[in-house]
């Protein structure tokens, strides 16, 4: 009898064990607990609001592309390394990678409107001059200014609201140009209106701050590349960083082959012509050019890489600021430049202005010693005549026209110039 009971107990125990095993196998959470596996940890990038400049908003450019930074759909080149370190914050520009589908990546330029040193100096100037302290809330300080209070009450962006700002784009403003800025400001939902009703107080401060520091991103927005303007595509801003399509600076091509140099020189002259004569009747002129002003896309197409030194004169309406209004100065006039700097008179800018600078600063470095004689001698002579600045507008234009005529036969038609290849194969010019 005792033996039978022991046997029965043993069978019951085996049955209970079997039921427990079955229960565990049917319960995923219990099974996972019973048999843990090491989770796959995805490396993440440590972002600081300070690096992006988000800690200074709304005294910043915008936030339209911040999500792509935090979702790792915009990566700095150094992020491709195993250490995943952010680049130094003191640099003015960075090379980056941008994706929409996490599979295909394209190069972008990530830039600051000015150096971090100048940003920090401007921030300190705001606090010491407006709040009488070394540190403060930049937004609260700027909101108290007379200029921004006028912006808050304004229904439309008018010339008196931008008077005295240091940006060359706004030294000779017309109402038509200012309406275009409001209508095409890309950091807000597109309203297509010339009135500022769709701009919040925050939006107005960001727009005013951007125009005060550097108008480059605004120019990219209001004259987009898809409409044929020679600027890289504006992709968005985050804090005090701007993201745009990538170009290599012109300085990288000073040692290029003769046919490449001739092609870039002709493109450069064509851009200057289009800036002086276009369907919208705006006259663009440079206040300064250097080896980083222009850039070249991977397809060989030349663009304006840095538009911060571009001034605009409206041929239809002219400037609607008087000399006294131009000289008006406040804290917004001094964020990146010396407050004592004098403005250039709108009437003193001629059509030869940009041509002379390019002939002095860029074309000699691009075309020097590239061609056989007597072609090189003629090129140097035309450049010298253009760069002298002593001739009248007609004389400079003639020298540039002869230079272009001399360079055209030196162009070649092959895959290096993808922006016009293979179309050039069917053209009589080549």
């Amino acid at each position: 009898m005792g033996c039978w009971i022991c046997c029965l107990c043993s069978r019951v125990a085996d049955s209970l064990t079997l039921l427990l095993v079955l229960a565990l196998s049917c319960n995923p959470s219990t099974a996972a607990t019973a048999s843990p596996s090491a989770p796959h940890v995805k490396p993440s990038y440590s972002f600081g609001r300070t690096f992006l400049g988000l800690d200074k908003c709304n005294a910043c450019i915008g936030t339209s592309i911040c999500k792509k930074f935090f979702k790792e759909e915009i990566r700095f080149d150094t992020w491709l390394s195993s250490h995943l370190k952010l680049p130094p914050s003191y640099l003015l520009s960075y090379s980056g990678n941008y994706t929409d589908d996490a599979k295909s990546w394209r190069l972008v330029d990530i830039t600051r409107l000015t150096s971090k040193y100048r940003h920090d100096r401007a921030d300190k100037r705001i606090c010491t001059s407006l709040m009488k302290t070394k540190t403060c809330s930049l937004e609260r300080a700027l909101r108290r200014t007379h200029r921004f209070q006028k912006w808050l009450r304004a229904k439309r962006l008018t010339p008196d609201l931008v008077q005295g700002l240091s940006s060359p784009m706004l030294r000779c403003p017309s109402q038509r140009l200012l309406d275009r800025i409001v209508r095409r400001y890309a950091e807000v939902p597109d309203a297509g209106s010339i009135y500022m009703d769709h701009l919040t107080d925050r939006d107005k401060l960001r727009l005013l701050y951007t125009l005060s520091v550097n108008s480059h991103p605004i120019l990219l927005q209001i004259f987009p590349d898809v409409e044929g303007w020679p600027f890289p595509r504006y992709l968005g801003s985050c804090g005090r960083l701007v993201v745009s399509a990538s170009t290599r600076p012109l300085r990288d091509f000073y040692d290029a082959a003769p046919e490449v140099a001739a092609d870039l020189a002709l493109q450069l002259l064509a851009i200057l012509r289009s800036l002086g004569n276009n369907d919208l009747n705006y006259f663009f002129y440079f206040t300064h050019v250097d080896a980083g002003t222009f850039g070249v896309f991977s397809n060989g197409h030349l663009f304006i890489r840095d538009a911060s030194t571009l001034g605009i004169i409206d041929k239809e309406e002219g400037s609607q600021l008087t000399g006294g209004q131009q000289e008006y100065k406040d804290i917004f006039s001094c964020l990146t430049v010396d407050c004592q700097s004098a403005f250039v008179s709108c009437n003193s800018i001629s059509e030869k202005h940009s041509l002379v600078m390019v002939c002095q600063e860029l074309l000699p470095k691009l075309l020097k010693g590239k061609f056989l004689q007597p072609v090189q001698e003629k090129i140097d002579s035309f450049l010298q005549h253009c760069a002298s600045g002593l001739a009248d507008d007609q004389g400079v234009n003639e020298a540039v026209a002869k230079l272009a005529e001399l360079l055209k036969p030196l162009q070649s038609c092959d895959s290096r110039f993808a922006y016009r290849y293979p179309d050039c194969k069917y053209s009589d010019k080549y």
Side-chain angles (χ1 to χ4, degrees):
M1 179 73 177
C3 182
W4 179 82
I5 292 175
C6 288
C7 184
L8 178 62
C9 290
S10 177
R11 289 182 179 180
V12 170
D14 290 343
S15 299
L16 289 174
T17 302
L18 178 61
L19 287 173
L20 180 60
V21 171
L22 289 173
L24 286 173
S25 64
C26 293
N27 189 333
S29 61
T30 309
T33 304
S35 180
S37 60
H40 174 68
V41 179
K42 181 181 178 182
S44 61
Y45 307 101
S46 176
F47 249 131
R49 290 168 57 84
T50 302
F51 181 85
L52 294 170
L54 279 172
D55 59 323
K56 303 298 176 66
C57 283
N58 292 300
C60 62
I61 314 167
T63 55
S64 61
I65 209 165
C66 287
K67 285 184 179 179
K68 281 198 168 287
F69 275 106
F70 289 109
K71 290 167 64 178
E72 299 171 20
E73 293 176 348
I74 295 178
R75 299 185 177 190
F76 294 89
D77 272 354
T78 52
W79 285 13
L80 301 180
S81 70
S82 59
H83 300 293
L84 307 177
K85 291 182 180 179
L86 286 172
S89 60
Y90 59 79
L91 296 177
L92 191 59
S93 63
Y94 311 89
S95 180
N97 300 273
Y98 175 103
T99 185
D100 287 317
D101 55 13
K103 297 178 182 177
S104 57
W105 294 80
R106 52 192 168 116
L107 291 175
V108 292
D109 289 333
I110 305 169
T111 57
R112 301 183 187 277
L113 294 191
T114 187
S115 67
K116 190 174 185 301
Y117 171 73
R118 285 193 173 184
H119 268 310
D120 292 343
R121 279 188 60 191
D123 294 343
K124 186 177 295 185
R125 188 183 296 122
I126 291 170
C127 291
T128 54
S129 62
L130 298 179
M131 305 295 284
K132 310 303 180 185
T133 59
K134 291 184 178 181
T135 59
C136 68
S137 166
L138 299 178
E139 180 172 357
R140 189 178 300 120
L142 294 176
R143 278 178 173 272
R144 292 181 178 182
T145 60
H146 176 66
R147 187 192 294 267
F148 187 66
Q149 288 300 313
K150 287 178 65 178
W151 272 63
L152 289 179
R153 296 190 297 268
K155 294 292 184 182
R156 191 175 183 182
L157 186 59
T158 51
D160 63 295
L161 296 178
V162 299
Q163 62 179 300
L165 296 185
S166 61
S167 167
M169 183 182 77
L170 299 173
R171 289 182 186 174
C172 313
S174 68
Q175 188 59 58
R176 188 167 70 111
L177 176 63
L178 298 179
D179 288 344
R180 190 176 182 87
I181 291 174
V182 173
R183 197 170 61 245
R184 294 187 169 217
Y185 182 42
E187 287 298 311
V188 299
D190 182 19
S193 172
I194 62 174
Y195 297 102
M196 295 198 290
D197 298 335
H198 62 294
L199 299 184
T200 64
D201 294 358
R202 175 199 65 192
D203 298 329
K204 288 182 179 180
L205 181 56
R206 290 178 179 179
L207 176 57
L208 173 56
Y209 180 84
T210 306
L211 291 172
S212 302
V213 176
N214 188 327
S215 58
H216 170 77
I218 303 299
L219 273 160
L220 269 56
Q221 294 168 42
I222 66 176
F223 298 108
D225 67 310
V226 292
E227 295 179 5
W229 296 97
F231 302 108
R233 180 164 301 179
Y234 177 80
L235 298 173
S237 299
C238 184
R240 290 180 169 179
L241 293 180
V242 179
V243 183
S244 59
S246 177
T247 58
R248 288 176 59 192
L250 187 62
R251 68 170 68 89
D252 290 356
F253 295 85
Y254 283 168
D255 294 327
E259 59 273 21
V260 174
D263 183 81
L264 292 175
L266 285 169
Q267 287 191 72
L268 182 51
L269 295 177
I271 284 178
L272 295 184
R273 283 196 298 271
S274 69
L275 295 180
N277 297 279
N278 50 75
D279 294 339
L280 293 184
N281 251 345
Y282 288 115
F283 170 55
F284 297 77
Y285 65 94
F286 285 100
T287 59
H288 171 78
V289 294
D290 57 38
T293 302
F294 295 89
V296 184
F297 282 127
S298 58
N299 64 357
H301 209 170
L302 183 77
F303 274 65
I304 297 174
R305 191 171 190 256
D306 179 6
S308 63
T309 62
L310 267 182
I312 302 178
I313 295 176
D314 192 332
K315 290 183 177 181
E316 287 187 12
E317 294 186 2
S319 173
Q320 295 175 13
L321 280 182
T322 64
Q325 286 177 311
Q326 278 188 320
E327 295 302 325
Y328 173 86
K329 301 284 178 65
D330 68 352
I331 189 65
F332 289 100
S333 310
C334 314
L335 292 183
T336 56
V337 297
D338 180 5
C339 287
Q340 305 304 317
S341 59
F343 288 113
V344 177
S345 169
C346 301
N347 298 325
S348 66
I349 307 298
S350 66
E351 290 192 7
K352 71 175 183 180
H353 187 84
S354 297
L355 283 172
V356 170
M357 282 196 294
V358 167
C359 288
Q360 290 174 340
E361 301 295 331
L362 302 183
L363 289 180
K365 298 172 183 175
L366 184 64
L367 300 174
K368 182 180 180 180
K370 285 289 196 309
F371 308 96
L372 299 175
Q373 300 296 356
V375 173
Q376 185 68 55
E377 185 178 352
K378 291 180 180 179
I379 290 175
D380 295 341
S381 175
F382 291 143
L383 284 178
Q384 186 176 5
H385 187 71
C386 170
S388 65
L390 300 177
D392 57 8
D393 288 2
Q394 187 64 30
V396 171
N397 288 332
E398 286 180 2
V400 169
K402 290 178 180 177
L403 175 63
E405 186 178 343
L406 194 62
L407 291 173
K408 282 179 182 178
L410 303 177
Q411 282 183 306
S412 65
C413 180
D414 58 61
S415 57
R416 287 175 297 172
F417 311 101
Y419 77 96
R420 57 179 172 82
Y421 181 85
D423 295 347
C424 57
K425 292 177 64 175
Y426 307 102
S427 172
D428 295 335
K429 294 189 299 181
Y430 303 95

